[in-house]
Amino acid sequence: MKPKSLLLAFAAGTAGLATRDLLQKTHTLKRNFPVVANARFALEKIGPELRQYIVTSNDEERPFSRDQRSWVYASAKRENNYFGFGTDNDIERVEGYPIFKHRTFSDVAASSSVKDSDRVELPSAKILGGPRGRRHAFRPRSVVNISAMSYGSLSGNAIEALNKGAEHAGIMHNTGEGSLSPHHRQGGDLIFQIGTAYFGCRDAHGRFDLKQLKDVVESAPVRAIEIKLSQGAKPGLGGHLPAEKISPEIASTRGIPLDQDCVSPARHTEFDDVDSMLDFVELIAQETGLPVGIKSAVGGNDLWEGLVEHMADGQRGVDFIQIDGGEGGTGAAPLVFSDAVALPYRLAFTRVYSLFAEAGLTDRVTWIGSGKLGLPENALVAFALGADMVSVAREAMLAIGCIQAQKCHTDRCPVGVATQNPWLERGLDPTLKANRLDNYVRTLRRDLLKVSEACGVWHPGLLTVDDVEILHGERTAVPLGDIYGYRPGWGTLGEDDAAQIVDIMSRSATHGETHRLAHPQPGARHAVP
């Protein structure tokens, strides 16, 4: 096309745009400043991307800073994830910054090798379902597992990548409330989540169907069942999957109509208080033999006080409790719910854990944390406060290619993770991304173990609140236990669990890991105080 023709086409386009802007009444700015005002809206639209790559500092952006994302990406790609020239965190002024207290003398020493991630084994310190004698109780192979993200919210390729990666890393993959799809059947162990709509285990009227539940868990490597009471992303609300995202496969997997929005109720219909919930838990555990637990964000204390009261006699109980922080997660929600409903993780966990600790019940439960715990420092604080395992969601998404575009709720995820758009999904290769998830998880476990060993213990589950202090700028550092009102002994493993995990880790050391200096007696925390 000749320059004159190009100029005429440009002028015609500009005139058309100006005419449209002048005649429309929706945007005052465009009506008053035709053509030019469109630049403002264009910049607003790409603002997150501009801030992400150009404007913000390494630690400024939320929910995950550039440094945090860089660490996940480098770990997933097996690139150098070390940082040089010291921290760029503003530790002189910030409040709430955790510091882990390394020990100069100890029977345990951290390796300096950058290749430890290939050989680190980090099983749970507790037997899941053991205290209640479940038929299929077991010791999870990893303290790091994949949190609940449903097929439908995530693409089929993303679910396949997560499950294949789970198999490679030896971790468990939570199905999310959207049921167990063909994409979950790639070899990875599963936790089947039961939500308020009972997807995958419901009858034609949407009521819970025990036979369907048994059929689905027997058809796949399901190791445990999680009853979701609420989640940090939208506590007190049910899930919402718009009709345009519902494919025939999703409809079949969930047992829902194809042509209408899928809306989960806010509350369960099979139980309406703690007493009936525990009956439901015991029914499922008896029929399946699997450990059964609950997942919840934390608001009012009624649930937790009632649970402590009803579990006190040992007749009924949950096998695990997953506390989800109110910092939000992978689910889209009204802004006020993401920002201001439910307690953030550390407050939430300590409030619930303290109730069980006062009643002497913490050893009967496997404690699981979720809510930005896929970053080493956050996870280590969680372990010190009493968590036995952590579940990762958004960090797992980053590992398989998420760029924090924050378009999860629009079906326009540019990297094919949170979309059902076939063209966008095709860009995500499940095999490649599975390897990246595997690398990320192994690196996270390596760092958890390195810091634990630097603090003089064999396993992150042996960390206590005495190993962590929280900075208040340059003025003072407060012991972690003091901040959350912990009494002596809270947040620690029982003697039997501690002895077993020390024995497991020390035996692992003698079978190929020579960087540990000695083999302490089982149950010993620090040989040199």
Side-chain angles (χ1 to χ4, degrees):
M1 186 178 289
K2 296 180 179 180
K4 185 176 181 180
S5 298
L6 284 172
L7 186 61
L8 288 172
F10 177 76
T14 302
L17 180 60
T19 302
R20 188 202 67 177
D21 288 347
L22 287 168
L23 293 177
Q24 62 85 36
K25 299 181 180 179
T26 304
H27 301 288
T28 303
L29 195 63
K30 289 183 179 181
R31 191 172 175 85
N32 291 341
F33 302 95
V35 181
V36 177
N38 288 279
R40 183 265 182 195
F41 290 97
L43 289 171
E44 181 183 50
K45 188 172 183 179
I46 64 172
E49 287 82 2
L50 289 175
R51 291 191 295 273
Q52 186 175 29
Y53 297 110
I54 300 173
V55 180
T56 57
S57 68
N58 287 339
D59 289 293
E60 185 177 354
E61 194 178 6
R62 297 288 181 174
F64 291 89
S65 70
R66 184 182 298 154
D67 271 353
Q68 291 168 340
R69 295 196 313 276
S70 295
W71 178 82
V72 173
Y73 295 147
S75 299
K77 297 174 185 177
R78 293 181 69 88
E79 296 174 350
N80 185 350
N81 63 0
Y82 280 35
F83 285 73
F85 213 64
T87 182
D88 59 5
N89 294 335
D90 189 10
I91 60 175
E92 295 90 352
R93 297 177 179 82
V94 72
E95 293 193 2
Y97 193 91
I99 295 295
F100 302 94
K101 298 156 63 175
H102 74 283
R103 288 182 174 262
T104 303
F105 303 109
S106 171
D107 286 334
V108 186
S111 165
S112 297
S113 172
V114 299
K115 299 181 179 179
D116 284 342
S117 57
D118 290 336
R119 64 190 183 191
V120 166
E121 298 291 336
L122 208 55
S124 170
K126 287 181 179 175
I127 304 293
L128 190 61
R132 295 212 45 76
R134 306 303 189 195
R135 295 195 304 277
H136 301 307
F138 68 103
R139 185 186 300 277
R141 294 166 57 192
S142 173
V143 298
V144 178
N145 298 286
I146 301 174
S147 195
M149 294 179 283
S150 298
Y151 171 51
S153 295
L154 300 192
S155 68
N157 282 0
I159 295 295
E160 288 188 22
L162 292 173
N163 195 256
K164 287 180 180 179
E167 181 190 24
H168 298 338
I171 67 177
M172 295 183 290
H173 177 195
N174 193 308
T175 64
E177 69 169 317
S179 188
L180 201 161
S181 73
H183 304 285
H184 288 97
R185 301 175 186 272
Q186 309 301 315
D189 284 347
L190 297 166
I191 298 174
F192 185 84
Q193 187 182 82
I194 299 175
T196 55
Y198 307 110
F199 297 129
C201 55
R202 57 190 258 155
D203 61 21
H205 305 290
R207 302 285 297 188
F208 174 71
D209 187 319
L210 181 59
K211 181 180 183 305
Q212 283 206 27
L213 174 66
K214 293 173 67 175
D215 288 344
V216 74
V217 299
E218 289 170 3
S219 72
V222 176
R223 305 302 306 275
I225 294 174
E226 177 180 87
I227 301 169
K228 185 180 80 169
L229 304 180
S230 63
Q231 64 184 102
K234 43 193 167 189
L237 289 180
H240 179 215
L241 189 66
E244 55 267 24
K245 290 188 72 173
I246 301 175
S247 66
E249 189 175 43
I250 293 171
S252 174
T253 297
R254 295 194 178 199
I256 58 173
L258 182 62
D259 57 351
Q260 61 189 56
D261 288 358
C262 175
V263 181
S264 303
R267 292 180 173 83
H268 282 267
T269 56
E270 290 302 305
F271 51 86
D272 55 13
D273 57 17
V274 173
D275 186 46
S276 55
M277 182 187 75
L278 287 177
D279 285 342
F280 187 63
V281 167
E282 294 297 338
L283 170 67
I284 293 173
Q286 179 61 37
E287 291 293 324
T288 65
L290 297 173
V292 181
I294 57 174
K295 172 184 178 176
S296 182
V298 176
N301 268 10
D302 293 353
L303 163 66
W304 309 109
E305 291 170 349
L307 193 55
V308 167
E309 179 182 349
H310 282 82
M311 287 181 60
D313 62 6
Q315 298 301 305
R316 297 175 299 168
V318 295
D319 297 296
F320 63 91
I321 295 174
Q322 176 158 317
I323 299 298
D324 202 15
E327 295 90 337
T330 58
L335 183 62
V336 65
F337 277 81
S338 295
D339 285 353
V341 180
L343 293 172
Y345 176 76
R346 292 179 191 175
L347 282 171
F349 182 86
T350 53
R351 189 165 296 185
V352 175
Y353 186 91
S354 295
L355 293 172
F356 280 76
E358 287 177 349
L361 301 177
T362 55
D363 290 343
R364 298 189 196 174
V365 176
T366 290
W367 295 90
I368 306 174
S370 56
K372 292 186 71 174
L373 301 187
L375 303 170
E377 60 269 33
N378 291 347
L380 288 160
V381 171
F383 282 111
L385 289 170
D388 301 301
M389 298 193 292
V390 296
S391 296
V392 300
R394 287 173 290 181
E395 299 90 335
M397 290 171 64
L398 291 169
I400 65 170
C402 170
I403 61 171
Q404 195 169 279
Q406 296 178 291
K407 297 185 182 297
C408 311
H409 58 298
T410 68
D411 202 32
R412 296 195 299 272
C413 171
V415 291
V417 175
T419 180
Q420 300 305 313
N421 182 304
W423 184 81
L424 294 171
E425 182 180 354
R426 64 179 287 279
L428 194 160
D429 181 87
T431 301
L432 172 63
K433 301 304 185 181
N435 291 333
R436 291 189 177 180
L437 177 75
D438 178 29
N439 294 336
Y440 156 70
V441 170
R442 291 179 184 274
T443 304
L444 175 58
R445 290 193 303 224
R446 179 202 70 184
D447 285 1
L448 295 179
L449 185 59
K450 279 181 180 290
V451 174
S452 300
E453 291 174 331
C455 292
V457 296
W458 289 80
H459 185 278
L462 296 168
L463 290 170
T464 75
V465 291
D466 296 329
D467 295 306
V468 187
E469 294 192 14
I470 302 297
L471 296 185
H472 281 216
E474 290 184 310
R475 294 167 296 167
T476 185
V478 182
L480 183 64
D482 290 356
I483 290 176
Y484 295 107
Y486 270 36
R487 299 176 188 169
W490 287 13
T492 61
L493 287 170
E495 290 186 5
D496 290 343
D497 290 326
Q500 288 180 31
I501 198 60
V502 167
D503 183 56
I504 289 169
M505 298 303 290
S506 60
R507 283 190 286 109
S508 175
T510 63
H511 286 86
E513 294 185 31
T514 58
H515 62 279
R516 295 183 176 87
L517 302 182
H519 307 145
Q521 294 299 313
R525 184 171 179 278
H526 297 299
V528 181

